[in-house]
C-alpha cells in the first residue's frame, strides 16, 4: 500500500486523517494510507491536501477505473455481436446515443420524441423537419458504424466523410464535405484549423485513431479532443467526433460511451482543458463514466435518468 506522510492544510498547518489521534489528529508526519485520502479529506471548511497529492489520487483513481472497465470488457466475447444479436440492447443504444448526441448539439426533441421517430416512424407536427431528419440520420449512421465494426474496418477518411454524409443528409448541402471556410467554436476561445490545412490534419488524426494501444480510453480521449479542435466540417463535428470515439471503443471490445445531454457542461469543460493545456485526465475520467453507462445497457442494468 502506498502512503502519504502528511497533508498541508490551506492555512499552512500540517494535519492528518481525522479520528486517528487526540482531537482527530495524529502526530505530525504520521503515514496515512493513500486510499484514505480518496475522498479529499477536509478539516472544517479547509481542504487539507496539496496539489501533488490530489494529482496522485486522481491518477490512481483513474487507473483503477480503467482497469475495472478492462475487466468488464474481458467478460464479453464480442460486444458488437451482443449488440446486434439482441434487438432490445441494440435499440437502447441507438436511442440513448441518438437522443443525447443530438440534444447536446441543440435538438429540442425529447427522448420519447426520439423513440417515436426512430422506432415508430412517427412524424411530429410540433417539431422541425430538420431535427427529425437528424434523428433518423443518426440512427442510420449508427447502423453503418456497427456494420463497419463487424467488418473490422479501420478508421479512414472515407469512413469519416461517410459518417458526416449520413448525418447531414437532407439537412445540409455540404454533407460529406470538409469545410471551405473559417469557423469558430461558439463560447470558447479556441482557434480551429485553417480550412486549407484540414485534409492534412485529418490524415494525422486518422493515424492517431488507428494506433494500437493498451489504453483505449486515453487514445480515444486524445483523438476526440484533437478532432474537435480541428473542426473539419461546417456543422456536425460533435456528432461525427462521438461516432469516431465509439467506433474506436467498439473495435477494442468496449461498450459505447453514453455522454448524456445533462453532462454537456462538464463534457465541454474537460474537452476544452484537454485541448488547451494537454491535460486529458478529467476527460478520460469522464469517458470512464460514460463507458460504464454503456456497459449497464449491455448488461441490461441501465435505469432511466
Amino acid at each position: 500500500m502506498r502512503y502519504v506522510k502528511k497533508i498541508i492544510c490551506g492555512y499552512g498547518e500540517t494535519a492528518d486523517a481525522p479520528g486517528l489521534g487526540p482531537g482527530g489528529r495524529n502526530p505530525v508526519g504520521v503515514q496515512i494510507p493513500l486510499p484514505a485520502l480518496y475522498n479529499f479529506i477536509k478539516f472544517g471548511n479547509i481542504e487539507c491536501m496539496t496539489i501533488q497529492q490530489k494529482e496522485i489520487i486522481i491518477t490512481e483513481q483513474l487507473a483503477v477505473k480503467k482497469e475495472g472497465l478492462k475487466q468488464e470488457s474481458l467478460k464479453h466475447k464480442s460486444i458488437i455481436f451482443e449488440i446486434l444479436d439482441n434487438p432490445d440492447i441494440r435499440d437502447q443504444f441507438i436511442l440513448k446515443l441518438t437522443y443525447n448526441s443530438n440534444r447536446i448539439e441543440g435538438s429540442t426533441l425529447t427522448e420519447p420524441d426520439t423513440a417515436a421517430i426512430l422506432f415508430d416512424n412517427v412524424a411530429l407536427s410540433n417539431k422541425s423537419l430538420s431535427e427529425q431528419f437528424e434523428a433518423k440520420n443518426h440512427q442510420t449512421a449508427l447502423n453503418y458504424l456497427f456494420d463497419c465494426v463487424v467488418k473490422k474496418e479501420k478508421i479512414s477518411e472515407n469512413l469519416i466523410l461517410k459518417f458526416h454524409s449520413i448525418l447531414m443528409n437532407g439537412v445540409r448541402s455540404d454533407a460529406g464535405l470538409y469545410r471551405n471556410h473559417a469557423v469558430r467554436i461558439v463560447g470558447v476561445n479556441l482557434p480551429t484549423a485553417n480550412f486549407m490545412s484540414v485534409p492534412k490534419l485529418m490524415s494525422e488524426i486518422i493515424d492517431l485513431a488507428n494506433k494500437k494501444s493498451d489504453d483505449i480510453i486515453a487514445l480515444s480521449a486524445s483523438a476526440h479532443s484533437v478532432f474537435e479542435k480541428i473542426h473539419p466540417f461546417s456543422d456536425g463535428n460533435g456528432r461525427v467526433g462521438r461516432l469516431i470515439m465509439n467506433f474506436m471503443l467498439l473495435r477494442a471490445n468496449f461498450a459505447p460511451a453514453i455522454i448524456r445531454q445533462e453532462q454537456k457542461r462538464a463534457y465541454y469543460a474537460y474537452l476544452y482543458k484537454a485541448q488547451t493545456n494537454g491535460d486529458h485526465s478529467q476527460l478520460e475520467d469522464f469517458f470512464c463514466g460514460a463507458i460504464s453507462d454503456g456497459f449497464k445497457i449491455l448488461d441490461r442494468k441501465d435505469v432511466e435518468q
Side-chain angles (χ1 to χ4, degrees), residues 184-195:
R184 293 187 62 180
I185 303 175
V186 178
V188 295
N189 181 23
L190 184 70
T192 57
N194 184 300
F195 70 89

Side-chain angles (χ1 to χ4, degrees), residues 34 37-38 40 49 51-65 273 279 281-282 285:
L34 189 59
L37 300 178
Y38 276 1
F40 285 21
M49 188 172 297
I51 293 174
Q52 184 179 16
Q53 288 164 351
K54 289 180 184 178
E55 289 176 348
I56 291 171
I57 290 172
I58 290 170
T59 300
E60 294 203 356
Q61 284 181 322
L62 182 56
V64 168
K65 290 180 180 180
K273 185 174 182 179
D279 181 1
S281 59
Q282 287 181 303
D285 184 76

Side-chain angles (χ1 to χ4, degrees), residues 127-157:
K127 297 293 181 179
S128 71
L129 280 177
S130 62
E131 287 185 334
Q132 296 179 67
F133 278 140
E134 287 173 348
K136 291 298 291 184
N137 288 348
H138 197 277
Q139 179 185 36
T140 303
L142 283 171
N143 284 324
Y144 178 73
L145 183 156
F146 294 156
D147 186 53
C148 290
V149 173
V150 168
K151 293 177 180 177
K152 299 184 178 179
E153 293 188 14
K154 290 187 175 182
I155 293 174
S156 65
E157 183 175 55

Side-chain angles (χ1 to χ4, degrees), residues 255-274:
I258 309 296
I259 300 177
R260 300 183 184 277
Q261 60 89 17
E262 59 266 28
Q263 299 171 311
K264 175 179 177 177
R265 182 173 294 182
Y267 167 48
Y268 282 176
Y270 301 148
L271 185 59
Y272 181 74
K273 185 174 182 179

